[in-house]
Amino acid sequence: MTTLALDRPELHPISRKGLPAYPNGWYAIALASELPRGGVVRRHFMGQEIVAFRTQSGVVSVIDAYCPHLGAHLGYDSTVEGETIRCPFHYFCFDTEGICVSTGYGTKPPPKAIISAWPSREKNGLLLVWHHVEGAPPEWEIPDLDTGDYHPLINRQWDLTSHPQETTENSVDIGHLAIVHKYDDVEMLSDLNTTGPYLNVSYAMRRGAGLAGQLMGGIRSEFEIHVHGLGYSLVEVKIPRFNIEARLFVLPTPIDAERITLRVAVSARKVTQPGKIHSALGFLPKPLILPILNRMIPPYVLDGLAHDVQQDFEIWQHKVYFAPPILAEGDGPVGRYRQWVKQFYCGNPATSF
Ligand code: FES
Ligand SMILES: [Fe+2]
């Protein structure tokens, strides 16, 4: 960012939940597929207006939305021209760094005609933007995944009254899994581990899925959770009974001090051995059954994720934030999570966690 965020008090308000509204880190603003070459999207992001565009050569840029000339919003009726975005008002063009490179009059661009650009990355099918309350450049990166054996991402999203720290706390709130989500036999497979901005925990649980699940005494699923800051969680799910594997992404992105867009996305592993899903399927010709299974499974997994995450909505939207929390045996490592999250805030020493 070319403008220091410290000069911009709107970037660090305290939310209704008592938390600084915008923890530092990477946040998803779109699936990468939502932004084709020549495409422009607009977002309300951390109390500001931003736009993302993809140039004709494929480079993505995320910049503040307002044209520094006379203030038009670049999210409405702008066009991508080559490697620039063109403002609809007087045809000033800005490159991917936000620098004005031409005007609609063929005159010299004013040297001060610069738009703040946000650090951004395309990672694992997502378009991510870095936010730091003091305007610091990215301090860590989201790891790349090998996506070769996986279907493209599909997603769903909701706007909610909540905060990324609150939704991400779900990953360590083991106690609510049986109560809110009705999972049985919740079993920790590995304890919470943290390294810098990365948090890892894994567990298994069982739940009946329809009549088949009930008859089999519930289907066991294993979850390994990789949290990279408060805006990006990857859950690797395995359902050994059906040999199904999928990557679930849970992506809360602040809209303003009170609201987030909660985006969930799924990338399922491509099925190659139908007989492992059910022995009867192994007798069918693969060219017949594989396309059907590969069409059915990704939306099935997304439906399951959307169903589960929606069970938390009423609680998230109406709860308050208590710090420090009063914890009980059976809660899971919420206390250690609250210690870990402190690193994503700065400039708010009065806040307790
Ligand atoms: S307001 Fe954008 S070119 Fe004039
Ligand atoms: Fe939950």
Side-chain angles (χ1 to χ4, degrees):
M1 275 176 277
T2 50
T3 306
L4 264 189
L6 277 179
D7 300 332
R8 303 165 68 170
E10 76 278 9
L11 277 182
H12 41 100
I14 303 296
S15 80
R16 186 170 58 82
K17 294 189 181 298
L19 290 166
Y22 309 133
N24 301 333
W26 290 103
Y27 293 91
I29 61 164
L31 299 191
S33 57
E34 290 175 63
L35 197 61
R37 285 171 198 232
V40 180
V41 296
R42 58 176 179 268
R43 294 285 183 267
H44 307 291
F45 179 74
M46 311 243 175
Q48 297 181 76
E49 296 289 307
I50 61 170
V51 297
F53 67 98
R54 189 189 294 277
T55 68
Q56 297 300 351
S57 76
V59 178
V60 169
S61 171
V62 180
I63 56 177
D64 282 353
Y66 294 113
C67 177
H69 178 220
L70 289 176
H73 192 304
L74 295 171
Y76 296 86
D77 297 332
S78 62
T79 48
V80 171
E81 299 291 322
E83 298 306 293
T84 68
I85 186 169
R86 186 179 71 181
C87 178
F89 205 178
H90 311 90
Y91 278 5
F92 284 30
C93 290
F94 299 87
D95 67 13
T96 54
E97 304 288 314
I99 296 166
C100 182
V101 292
S102 62
T103 72
Y105 324 127
T107 52
K108 188 167 165 284
K112 288 187 180 164
I114 297 174
I115 307 178
S116 291
W118 295 71
S120 63
R121 303 276 188 274
E122 274 189 88
K123 286 269 178 182
N124 309 324
L126 297 165
L127 175 53
L128 302 165
V129 176
W130 171 258
H131 161 76
H132 189 283
V133 77
E134 293 175 354
E139 294 172 340
W140 40 276
E141 297 289 336
I142 303 284
D144 287 305
L145 298 169
D146 182 354
T147 54
D149 295 337
Y150 285 78
H151 288 285
L153 280 182
I154 49 175
N155 79 330
R156 210 166 288 172
Q157 66 184 61
W158 304 263
D159 289 351
L160 302 173
T161 303
S162 192
H163 184 286
Q165 184 185 315
E166 294 266 71
T167 56
T168 305
E169 191 167 282
N170 242 241
S171 294
V172 297
D173 181 347
I174 307 301
H176 92 295
L177 296 175
I179 294 171
V180 174
H181 301 297
K182 311 298 180 206
Y183 277 103
D184 299 321
D185 304 335
V186 178
E187 173 197 352
M188 296 293 289
L189 295 179
S190 75
D191 197 8
L192 177 144
N193 266 299
T194 61
T195 309
Y198 172 64
L199 178 151
N200 172 255
V201 65
S202 51
Y203 41 78
M205 45 207 184
R206 194 177 290 280
R207 188 169 63 187
L211 182 61
Q214 300 298 334
L215 289 174
M216 287 186 289
I219 297 164
R220 185 172 180 276
S221 308
E222 295 172 1
F223 299 81
E224 179 162 14
I225 300 178
H226 309 271
V227 183
H228 295 271
L230 298 178
Y232 178 101
S233 293
L234 161 66
V235 185
E236 291 183 299
V237 185
K238 288 185 185 157
I239 310 175
R241 168 72 182 76
F242 297 129
N243 196 38
I244 288 177
E245 293 182 21
R247 293 170 174 157
L248 319 181
F249 297 85
V250 184
L251 307 157
T253 301
I255 299 169
D256 55 30
E258 307 299 339
R259 294 177 303 148
I260 58 170
T261 296
L262 184 71
R263 190 176 273 102
V264 297
V266 161
S267 173
R269 193 181 187 111
K270 290 174 186 163
V271 175
T272 54
Q273 295 172 294
K276 290 201 170 172
I277 292 182
H278 192 285
S279 54
L281 297 174
F283 297 109
L284 296 171
K286 275 190 179 180
L288 179 76
I289 193 66
L290 278 181
I292 296 172
L293 288 172
N294 279 308
R295 209 166 40 241
M296 282 173 53
I297 287 175
Y300 172 77
V301 176
L302 180 60
D303 282 349
L305 173 60
H307 169 272
D308 280 15
V309 81
Q310 287 180 88
Q311 292 177 316
D312 291 302
F313 284 3
E314 286 296 302
I315 292 168
W316 285 340
Q317 297 211 94
H318 300 289
K319 77 183 292 300
V320 293
Y321 181 71
F322 282 147
I326 298 173
L327 297 174
E329 198 179 329
D331 276 329
V334 174
R336 285 162 62 203
Y337 171 79
R338 294 284 184 99
Q339 291 302 311
W340 175 77
V341 300
K342 289 181 182 177
Q343 67 184 294
F344 303 112
Y345 301 95
C346 47
N348 289 284
T351 305
S352 66
F353 291 87

